[in-house]
Amino acid sequence: MKKAVLYTRVSTDEQKRTGFSLQEQYNRLKDYCTRKGYQIVGHYQDDHSAKNFKRPEYQRFLEDVRLKRVRPDLLLVTKADRFTRDAFEGYTQITNLRKNNIEVESLSDGSYDFTNPNKFFQNLLQFGAAQHENILKADNTKRGMREALRQGRWVWPAPVGYDNDTNTKLVVIDSANAPYVKKAFDLVASGLYSCEEVRRMLNNEGFKRTKQAFMNMLRNPFYYGYILVKEWQNEPEELVKGIHEPIISETVFSKVQLVLKRRKRNWPKTQALNEQLPLRGHLICQDCGKSLTGSGSVSRNKSIHHYYHCQNGCKERFRADNANVCFAEYLKTFEVPTDVVQLYKEVLKDMFQQDDSERKKKLADIDKQMRLVNGRLASLADKLADDKISYEDFNEAKLRYKEELNKMDIEYQELNGIKSSFDRYLTYGLMILPDISKYYTQADLTAKREIVGSIFPEKVIFDGKSYRTSRVNGLFSLFSNTGKGLGGQKNKKAGKNSDLFDLAPPSGLEPETP
């Protein structure tokens, strides 16, 4: 009497589409064994695709065979596609099972034996037919999904910021995450922050995204209302209008793409930001000239104190709270007198008025070019309607013209916003110059780091009492009390928390200034 293991399988979509039943397969196999006089020594059933053999129950069967928990003479299935839908995988599995003296047999085809020359091609065709059916089904599914995409319908789980409505089968805005998505695009489009800075800011607010997921989100046209249908076989790539509601405007999306192109995914290699260590990354060691890092240390009474210290083995180490207070005092040496700020403001106004006529001329030129391209788009649609061009040529030209329009629109918006941006700059930007130390003290961590970076293009040294650097921003050097320019005082001696910053480079970096 032969010993048989029964194997039944359905995939979830098959059970819904055709009504295949595991119980029905089992009953047929059981009746077959009764007629043949086979002894049933096991039953394994899977609810998985047959495109490969990575199925839980089939793998358990192989493990049981390896450990000799079952010793069948044959594996019995109802038909070839219950075993596999891949001819090569089927051949490999049958060959390996025969090495363990186990044959594979189906109710419809009998025994599968690739060692028998009379049955080789017959068995190969049987498994090939199952694979061909699977390829056709996958192809039809792919075409159906692409057609749905062309109609503007999203066919996958909704991107972050959206939800899948199970009732309407549409994609709707997720009120919890959509504001974070909009904020991310707006901040990156402003050009004031790197992508990583924006990601970390939103991460602290509860919007958790990995670096790659965040970058993918910024590149997805779905957020301004369009769906990218990728190239497939002989069908070209298309960008189609979706039926979902956009979260951002097309202009904002285009600005973000230009920012990404310029920065080429330039993730900063800085350590995690810490409110107690705003100067980390801006300080260097007096001994070796390497950048200082910072960390917290737990004292005996369990309180945490933060320190800036060298990473290169030097003894450079000092309390962060003291260094931060001294730095705020040091910034007072860069405060610009009010009368100098007012003079600078008048100079800028005069320069702006001289350039405004040129700005208006550029705006008129861009507007003319945009009308020209829009006319070409309209003409293109007429040619398609009159069958003068193919759909592929129409779509390719449409994408090219849309990209041109986006670039011109961005340039137009930027030029048009110069005047209002200039007014805001005069109102708010120059306001902080007379009292920059106060604004620095009250600012959040990101703003503090921006202020430090804008004043000091080179790193800063702290000797435990006072600060010095080899170079400061030219504007501050000219206008502040530390320089010898418009508001400066000459030959003032430096001391602890002095109003004079030392231009001489420190020992260890360059030869000392005599």
Side-chain angles (χ1 to χ4, degrees):
M1 180 181 292
K2 285 187 177 182
K3 297 177 181 179
V5 162
L6 310 185
Y7 180 71
T8 55
R9 185 199 66 81
V10 292
S11 63
T12 304
D13 68 315
E14 279 180 330
Q15 201 156 18
K16 290 179 180 178
R17 181 168 47 85
T18 65
F20 273 119
S21 166
L22 292 168
Q23 186 61 44
E24 184 266 343
Q25 291 178 54
Y26 174 76
N27 290 337
R28 290 177 60 196
L29 294 174
K30 183 179 177 182
D31 291 343
Y32 181 80
C33 289
T34 300
R35 294 196 306 272
K36 287 282 190 175
Y38 295 162
Q39 178 188 356
I40 300 174
V41 295
H43 175 214
Y44 301 83
Q45 63 179 31
D46 271 313
D47 181 9
H48 279 71
S49 168
K51 64 182 180 182
N52 57 49
F53 283 92
K54 294 177 181 179
R55 315 169 209 155
E57 283 295 291
Y58 187 82
Q59 291 300 316
R60 186 169 71 87
F61 161 67
L62 294 180
E63 183 68 5
D64 288 347
V65 169
R66 186 180 69 82
L67 298 175
K68 302 189 185 307
R69 288 196 285 252
V70 292
R71 298 185 178 185
D73 298 304
L74 59 89
L75 177 69
L76 191 61
V77 295
T78 55
K79 54 189 297 191
D81 61 8
R82 298 304 90 201
F83 182 62
T84 184
R85 289 185 180 273
D86 187 297
F88 178 77
E89 290 272 0
Y91 170 81
T92 303
Q93 285 294 318
I94 288 171
T95 301
N96 291 337
L97 288 173
R98 287 187 69 85
K99 292 177 181 178
N100 289 281
N101 298 315
I102 301 173
E103 295 184 6
V104 178
E105 183 177 323
S106 78
L107 304 188
S108 58
D109 305 319
S111 176
Y112 299 111
D113 183 5
F114 286 101
T115 63
N116 186 338
N118 296 322
K119 298 186 68 176
F120 181 88
F121 282 108
Q122 178 185 348
N123 293 158
L124 196 62
L125 286 172
Q126 287 159 345
F127 285 114
Q131 183 174 356
H132 181 254
E133 181 186 350
N134 205 44
I135 293 172
L136 284 177
K137 184 174 70 173
D139 187 79
N140 290 334
T141 301
K142 183 78 171 179
R143 291 186 183 280
M145 292 172 68
R146 288 180 64 82
E147 184 56 35
L149 291 173
R150 285 196 187 96
Q151 295 173 9
R153 302 178 66 90
W154 191 249
V155 295
W156 296 293
V160 62
Y162 290 91
D163 274 331
N164 293 98
D165 189 318
T166 55
N167 295 322
T168 64
K169 307 298 182 183
L170 299 176
V171 173
V172 295
I173 287 181
D174 172 15
S175 59
N177 284 317
Y180 291 119
V181 173
K182 185 178 187 306
K183 186 174 181 179
F185 275 94
D186 288 341
L187 289 175
V188 174
S190 72
L192 299 176
Y193 307 94
S194 71
C195 296
E196 179 63 354
E197 285 175 325
V198 174
R199 187 186 74 87
R200 286 180 177 177
M201 279 191 280
L202 296 180
N203 184 72
N204 292 334
E205 294 178 19
F207 186 65
K208 309 288 186 181
R209 306 297 291 169
T210 64
K211 289 182 180 181
Q212 190 58 57
F214 190 74
M215 293 300 294
N216 291 342
M217 180 188 78
L218 294 177
R219 292 191 176 99
N220 193 347
F222 193 87
Y223 293 104
Y224 78 91
Y226 278 77
I227 294 175
L228 181 66
V229 185
K230 295 183 178 180
E231 180 181 0
W232 182 63
Q233 293 183 356
N234 61 342
E235 298 176 0
E237 182 177 275
E238 298 179 54
L239 191 63
V240 300
K241 183 110 173 67
I243 61 175
H244 60 282
E245 182 181 351
I247 292 177
I248 61 170
S249 69
E250 187 173 353
T251 300
V252 169
F253 182 81
S254 298
K255 286 183 178 180
V256 169
Q257 304 320 298
L258 291 178
V259 170
L260 295 180
K261 283 183 180 179
R262 287 198 298 267
R263 294 183 177 177
K264 294 183 179 178
R265 197 182 174 188
N266 184 24
W267 299 101
K269 297 181 180 179
T270 57
Q271 294 171 294
L273 300 179
N274 188 313
E275 293 285 349
Q276 307 301 320
L277 302 167
L279 299 175
R280 182 164 59 184
H282 294 284
L283 299 173
I284 55 175
C285 176
Q286 294 185 88
D287 296 331
C288 67
K290 300 290 185 181
S291 293
L292 298 185
T293 186
S295 60
S297 178
V298 182
S299 65
R300 292 180 180 178
N301 62 2
K302 305 301 182 183
S303 59
I304 299 177
H305 300 288
H306 289 82
Y307 293 85
Y308 294 111
H309 53 87
C310 185
Q311 306 179 75
N312 206 35
C314 302
K315 294 182 180 180
E316 181 90 340
R317 177 184 172 89
F318 45 82
R319 283 276 294 264
D321 51 2
N322 177 57
N324 295 339
V325 170
C326 289
F327 186 79
E329 288 295 315
Y330 179 50
L331 282 180
K332 290 181 179 180
T333 67
F334 295 93
E335 291 176 351
V336 183
T338 304
D339 55 342
V340 175
V341 172
Q342 186 61 35
L343 175 60
Y344 181 54
K345 181 177 180 179
E346 294 302 320
V347 171
L348 287 178
K349 275 187 175 180
D350 186 57
M351 293 174 61
F352 177 76
Q353 288 172 357
Q354 292 177 18
D355 292 339
D356 198 40
S357 59
E358 183 65 25
R359 180 182 68 89
K360 291 178 179 178
K361 182 178 181 299
K362 287 183 178 179
L363 284 173
D365 289 342
I366 295 172
D367 184 64
K368 180 180 178 181
Q369 288 297 318
M370 290 178 70
R371 289 199 303 271
L372 178 63
V373 174
N374 277 317
R376 289 174 179 172
L377 273 172
S379 174
L380 200 65
D382 291 339
K383 289 179 180 179
L384 178 66
D386 295 336
D387 291 327
K388 293 182 178 179
I389 58 172
S390 66
Y391 182 78
E392 289 76 14
D393 291 339
F394 167 78
N395 191 61
E396 181 182 349
K398 177 185 173 183
L399 288 174
R400 186 174 70 254
Y401 288 145
K402 290 284 285 185
E403 186 175 351
E404 289 180 18
L405 282 172
N406 286 338
K407 290 180 179 179
M408 287 188 286
D409 183 56
I410 291 171
E411 187 178 1
Y412 188 91
Q413 295 298 332
E414 289 177 346
L415 285 171
N416 202 36
I418 284 178
K419 187 169 184 179
S420 59
S421 297
F422 177 77
D423 291 338
R424 287 197 301 271
Y425 171 68
L426 291 179
T427 304
Y428 302 109
L430 297 182
M431 184 198 314
I432 76 170
L433 295 180
D435 204 2
I436 195 169
S437 178
K438 175 185 174 182
Y439 279 96
Y440 174 82
T441 303
Q442 297 175 349
D444 60 22
L445 179 59
T446 301
K448 283 181 178 178
R449 294 177 65 82
E450 291 287 341
I451 290 173
V452 177
S454 64
I455 298 177
F456 303 103
E458 305 290 345
K459 299 294 179 71
V460 185
I461 287 179
F462 181 60
D463 62 10
K465 295 181 180 180
S466 60
Y467 283 90
R468 67 178 184 270
T469 185
S470 59
R471 187 164 67 92
V472 296
N473 180 290
L475 175 66
F476 283 95
S477 180
L478 176 65
F479 286 163
S480 71
N481 291 329
T482 64
K484 300 178 181 180
L486 296 176
Q489 299 178 21
K490 301 180 181 180
N491 302 322
K492 189 175 180 180
K493 186 177 180 180
K496 181 178 179 180
N497 300 330
S498 167
D499 283 347
L500 178 66
F501 99 101
D502 188 356
L503 287 174
S507 175
L509 292 180
E510 297 177 21
E512 292 185 55
T513 302

